[in-house]
Amino acid sequence: MELDAKITGKKAQSESTNSSEVFASCSFSNLGLHPALCDQLKERLGFDAPTLVQAQAIPVVLSGRHVLVNAATGTGKTVAYLAPIIHMLQSYDERIERADGTFALVLVPTRELCMQVYEILQKLLHRFHWIVPGYIMGGENRGKEKARLRKAQSYAKHSASLIDVPGNPSYNYEIILLVFIWSVTILVATAGRLLDHLKNTSSFVHKNLRWIIFDEADRILELGYGKDIEEILGCLGTGNLKSGSKDISAVNSGVQKQNLLLSATLNDKVNHLANVSLENPVMIGLDDNMSGSRTRNFSFESNGVDIVKESRKTLDTSNEEYKLPTQLVQKYIKVPCGSRLVVLLSVLKHLFETGASQKVVLFFSTCDAVDFHYSLLGEFKWTALQTKTEVSQKFLGCKMLRLHGNMNQEDRKKTFQSFKTDKSALLFSTDVSARGLDFPKVRCIIQYDSPGEATEYVHRVGRTARLGEKGDSLLFLQPTELDYLKDLEKHGVVLTEYPLLKLLSSFPVYNMKQPASRFVSIEMHPLLIALQRALESFVATEPKISKLAKDAFSSWVRAYTAHRGELKQIFMVKKLHLGHVAKSFALKDQPSLVNRSIQKQLKKRKRNDQRNDKQKVKSKKRAIVKS
Ligand SMILES: Nc1ncnc2c1ncn2[C@@H]1O[C@H](COP(=O)(O)OP(=O)(O)OP(=O)(O)O)[C@@H](O)[C@H]1O
């Protein structure tokens, strides 16, 4: 898809990057992987050759060193850690048995990523049936879990004695679940649920645990799981296991356990996690552009050591240049607050009507905003853009899906699976989709609500332009928020402006007296004015959508007040005109009830700020007195 090629008449940037910028010039077997595993990579996943990051990481992981990988989104980090671990597990002299417990633990920030990694594992382990994959995550539906567990029941019958049985008989199926989980060889888990189980049963067989992998390490920490991770590491202990042997007696033979940390972005919190979990790690991708933007001649004979950095004590991530796919076309669109909604609708209409099939992810800051926009666009009809027919049709005819953390697990799974296979669809989502998710052929990312931290910008746009494919991204900014572009520039992320007026003039508007190209101000554009009116009347007459609009309005303002640090100076609540914000939710007026709750929120925020300032002054005084 070409976001603005049809408007500007220009040819969009190259279709995709040169394959030598993405793939290494060696094979998986050159990297030392078992032939049967190389076959699985080809047959089950369709991978002919390793990507650059895989070529760099696999030999290092095979060498047994702790590793920190920092490579661009969509460069193949998942297989970079799964393949060498599977290789080592299948190479044990004695085959692994279920009673040996878990050898590798993969920690991920979201349920969807958990499922995704598990699905890849299943494919890779097809020929290694004795290596058992499993997953554990929050929100699982009991009925479904039971079905999954039935498979494990026969084993559980023999092993139930291993479990600490809580008094409650309704725990029976939980027991089976735990036996099942604790006897998988490679366990993929979200941190919270894993810790929950670790605390409530002492039967996790981790005597052989050798690998802990933190996928999207920085996000796990940002979500507030830092403490959980430390507790998990504490629960699991730090025993050592001899390389090449599954023999428990080999524990404490002096060979380190191996931990791996991976992300396209690193932050200061990762320093801490790296310090507590990695010993003398090899750093891959740091201080170097490994985004696939430069051709790198990887020679497998080098065993990777000439292209990786030896460990440093800490990482300076404050002004880190983030690695983005070079073929990604990044634009921003400057829109006054009151026109945001109508501009969004115009952009979407353009996207879905100019391309035969599109896959677009639309990011919002809150679950309420997702629900409102999803319902609105699912039902809103408008004839003004349909010159030939008087019959109202849906404004947007594409398939629509939504994904956020307040949905039940079943619906989340359905959306996730559907958007993976859909050829053309619009996904309304919160940041729950921003990390690690690999939806094939996503052509455009629209960030309607700004992402906050630059890291989140990078991960959101990383859902497109994966592995050398082309992709576009569009960031909505109000005129007062343009400084955010400078913040992104500090991290090497540069955006150009989207030609909005040209887009608007490309619409054939029925009954318009003057050509749209004569209007220089967006707010005065007749198409937008007419569309805004239609939206407001629609919302006013639909009580369900009106309620969603009010809820979305309140939580949007709350989210706006939650920007931290330097971003507070860019996304300033006091610069918001709440009447214009209401307009962007198709509300004719700013409802007083909503306003009151926001005023409360703003006052609370002010009080907190004042309290923090006072505390800062106090601690400064204390520091002066001490010195
Ligand atoms: N060697 C390979 N050959 C072909 N395709 C590959 C190869 N390795 C990975 N891929 C594909 O590339 C895509 C991106 O891989 P993956 O999700 O592992 O990237 P990532 O670096 O973990 O991205 P993110 O940072 O967004 O999590 C996936 O669709 C995957 O199937």
Side-chain angles (χ1 to χ4, degrees):
M1 181 192 49
E2 299 163 3
L3 190 61
D4 65 353
K6 288 216 167 87
I7 312 162
T8 56
K10 277 186 243 154
K11 174 114 183 67
Q13 232 168 295
S14 64
E15 294 273 306
S16 60
T17 46
N18 189 315
S19 79
S20 65
E21 295 171 12
V22 177
F23 295 101
S25 55
C26 60
S27 67
F28 281 110
S29 61
N30 288 153
L31 299 173
L33 296 179
H34 190 274
L37 180 55
C38 298
D39 287 351
Q40 295 305 282
L41 284 161
K42 178 143 180 60
E43 286 163 21
R44 301 265 150 190
L45 295 176
F47 297 179
D48 291 315
T51 63
L52 288 169
V53 72
Q54 288 161 359
Q56 292 165 43
I58 290 171
V60 183
V61 179
L62 288 175
S63 78
R65 296 277 303 271
H66 288 236
V67 185
L68 199 157
V69 180
N70 179 222
T73 50
T75 50
K77 293 188 283 297
T78 318
V79 160
Y81 66 80
L82 289 183
I85 288 174
I86 294 170
H87 169 88
M88 287 188 266
L89 286 170
Q90 64 75 40
S91 70
Y92 288 143
D93 306 335
E94 266 176 75
R95 271 194 181 182
I96 286 166
E97 288 157 16
R98 281 213 181 226
D100 291 329
T102 299
F103 286 74
L105 175 63
V106 182
L107 285 165
V108 292
T110 64
R111 297 172 194 176
E112 283 73 19
L113 190 52
C114 193
M115 288 299 305
Q116 185 174 293
V117 174
Y118 173 73
E119 280 167 18
I120 297 169
L121 259 179
Q122 277 185 312
K123 288 182 184 158
L124 286 178
L125 290 172
H126 194 71
R127 289 230 196 126
F128 308 105
H129 57 87
W130 62 97
I131 303 174
V132 184
Y135 69 88
I136 171 172
M137 61 189 194
E140 276 284 84
N141 169 299
R142 284 182 169 232
K144 275 273 161 110
E145 261 184 353
K146 272 185 188 165
R148 210 173 97 221
L149 298 172
R150 235 172 267 134
K151 283 188 200 161
Q153 266 175 352
S154 58
Y155 175 76
K157 268 182 208 154
H158 303 296
S159 321
S161 58
L162 294 172
I163 300 284
D164 275 348
V165 184
N168 186 347
S170 71
Y171 262 65
N172 275 346
Y173 101 94
E174 291 275 1
I175 295 163
I176 299 165
L177 168 69
L178 292 173
V179 173
F180 177 62
I181 289 164
W182 293 158
S183 56
V184 303
T185 324
I186 306 177
L187 180 63
V188 192
T190 52
R193 179 57 74 101
L194 175 68
L195 183 61
D196 191 26
H197 282 305
L198 277 174
K199 280 178 169 171
N200 293 317
T201 174
S202 56
S203 58
F204 180 26
V205 186
H206 60 86
K207 60 189 177 185
N208 288 320
L209 187 72
R210 176 167 168 191
W211 295 276
I212 302 182
I213 299 102
F214 301 94
D215 197 349
E216 306 288 350
D218 55 326
R219 185 61 181 163
I220 300 176
L221 299 173
E222 273 164 23
L223 288 173
Y225 289 114
K227 272 222 146 90
D228 288 8
I229 295 292
E230 283 190 29
E231 275 192 65
I232 289 169
L233 292 174
C235 287
L236 298 178
T238 53
N240 297 318
L241 190 70
K242 188 174 175 179
S243 171
S245 168
K246 74 166 179 115
D247 184 359
I248 294 116
S249 63
V251 170
N252 294 327
S253 60
V255 180
Q256 293 292 323
K257 278 186 172 186
Q258 195 179 2
N259 294 343
L260 319 173
L261 243 115
L262 305 99
S263 182
T265 52
L266 298 171
N267 59 24
D268 291 339
K269 286 182 184 157
V270 177
N271 268 330
H272 179 64
L273 181 58
N275 279 335
V276 298
S277 64
L278 304 182
E279 268 183 62
N280 192 24
V282 175
M283 314 263 197
I284 295 179
L286 290 162
D287 296 331
D288 205 346
N289 188 344
M290 233 182 42
S291 62
S293 56
R294 277 199 282 138
T295 307
R296 302 173 60 79
N297 293 321
F298 176 74
S299 130
F300 61 89
E301 286 89 353
S302 67
N303 234 10
V305 284
D306 61 340
I307 45 170
V308 296
K309 303 276 169 209
E310 291 298 312
S311 66
R312 285 175 298 167
K313 274 271 181 249
T314 51
L315 315 162
D316 177 14
T317 54
S318 51
N319 278 329
E320 190 203 345
E321 290 232 342
Y322 293 132
K323 300 162 173 54
L324 285 148
T326 46
Q327 74 282 11
L328 172 70
V329 181
Q330 302 176 79
K331 303 243 179 246
Y332 72 93
I333 190 161
K334 189 173 78 177
V335 191
C337 187
S339 305
R340 272 165 50 80
L341 181 61
V342 280
V343 168
L344 173 69
L345 264 62
S346 312
V347 169
L348 289 173
K349 182 116 188 127
H350 171 74
L351 275 179
F352 281 94
E353 288 191 356
T354 52
S357 69
Q358 308 290 3
K359 257 167 106 171
V360 177
V361 184
L362 179 53
F363 281 105
F364 295 91
S365 57
T366 69
C367 305
D368 286 338
V370 169
D371 287 340
F372 163 66
H373 291 91
Y374 171 78
S375 302
L376 178 75
L377 273 160
E379 293 182 30
F380 178 61
K381 294 174 179 166
W382 200 41
T383 45
L385 290 178
Q386 295 148 12
T387 47
K388 287 185 189 145
T389 170
E390 285 301 312
V391 183
S392 285
Q393 287 176 359
K394 277 201 182 154
F395 182 82
L396 215 54
C398 64
K399 177 170 182 179
M400 296 179 210
L401 296 160
R402 70 188 174 118
L403 187 64
H404 63 66
N406 283 350
M407 288 164 61
N408 71 45
Q409 188 56 21
E410 270 312 286
D411 291 344
R412 275 173 79 160
K413 258 192 201 168
K414 268 187 211 151
T415 297
F416 174 66
Q417 296 300 353
S418 171
F419 197 61
K420 260 185 180 257
T421 48
D422 282 330
K423 289 218 161 61
S424 180
L426 170 61
L427 176 67
F428 298 71
S429 185
T430 57
D431 276 333
V432 79
S433 302
R435 289 287 184 141
L437 296 194
D438 185 53
F439 296 117
K441 309 263 176 239
V442 170
R443 285 289 176 255
C444 184
I445 301 298
I446 301 180
Q447 309 197 46
Y448 183 58
D449 291 337
S450 78
E453 303 294 327
T455 49
E456 285 324 293
Y457 174 90
V458 170
H459 288 280
R460 282 177 171 191
V461 297
R463 297 318 97 209
T464 187
R466 293 174 76 71
L467 209 71
E469 291 204 336
K470 66 174 186 169
D472 292 280
S473 71
L474 183 61
L475 171 68
F476 273 66
L477 288 174
Q478 297 180 38
T480 51
E481 300 169 341
L482 291 180
D483 277 351
Y484 186 61
L485 296 172
K486 289 187 194 146
D487 194 67
L488 290 177
E489 268 171 37
K490 277 196 242 161
H491 298 282
V493 181
V494 181
L495 282 67
T496 54
E497 189 167 358
Y498 180 90
L500 175 58
L501 281 171
K502 275 191 184 155
L503 162 85
L504 297 176
S505 58
S506 72
F507 283 113
V509 182
Y510 185 51
N511 268 350
M512 190 184 281
K513 288 183 188 102
Q514 288 170 288
S517 53
R518 289 192 43 197
F519 296 89
V520 283
S521 147
I522 287 162
E523 285 112 319
M524 299 308 292
H525 197 287
L527 168 69
L528 299 187
I529 291 173
L531 183 54
Q532 181 73 32
R533 263 195 221 125
L535 283 164
E536 286 176 12
S537 332
F538 174 72
V539 170
T541 51
E542 293 287 330
K544 196 187 99 201
I545 297 195
S546 172
K547 162 93 173 62
L548 288 173
K550 287 171 190 169
D551 292 346
F553 169 83
S554 304
S555 47
W556 186 88
V557 179
R558 267 200 302 277
Y560 206 88
T561 61
H563 283 290
R564 284 173 289 171
E566 285 177 19
L567 293 179
K568 265 199 288 190
Q569 308 308 316
I570 299 171
F571 302 99
M572 289 175 85
V573 190
K574 64 180 177 201
K575 282 197 191 160
L576 283 179
H577 184 302
L578 292 181
H580 292 172
V581 179
K583 217 176 144 196
S584 73
F585 289 92
L587 292 166
K588 281 184 187 157
D589 307 301
Q590 180 195 321
S592 56
L593 183 74
V594 176
N595 191 25
R596 240 183 279 141
S597 80
I598 284 155
Q599 294 307 340
K600 257 194 203 165
Q601 178 78 22
L602 293 177
K603 274 186 193 158
K604 194 173 159 197
R605 170 84 190 249
K606 206 173 163 187
R607 274 202 307 276
N608 284 346
D609 283 351
Q610 281 170 347
R611 206 175 303 142
N612 287 345
D613 287 347
K614 274 184 195 163
Q615 269 168 359
K616 268 185 207 155
V617 173
K618 268 190 195 166
S619 48
K620 256 189 198 164
K621 275 185 188 165
R622 247 181 265 135
I624 293 166
V625 172
K626 273 189 189 167
S627 62

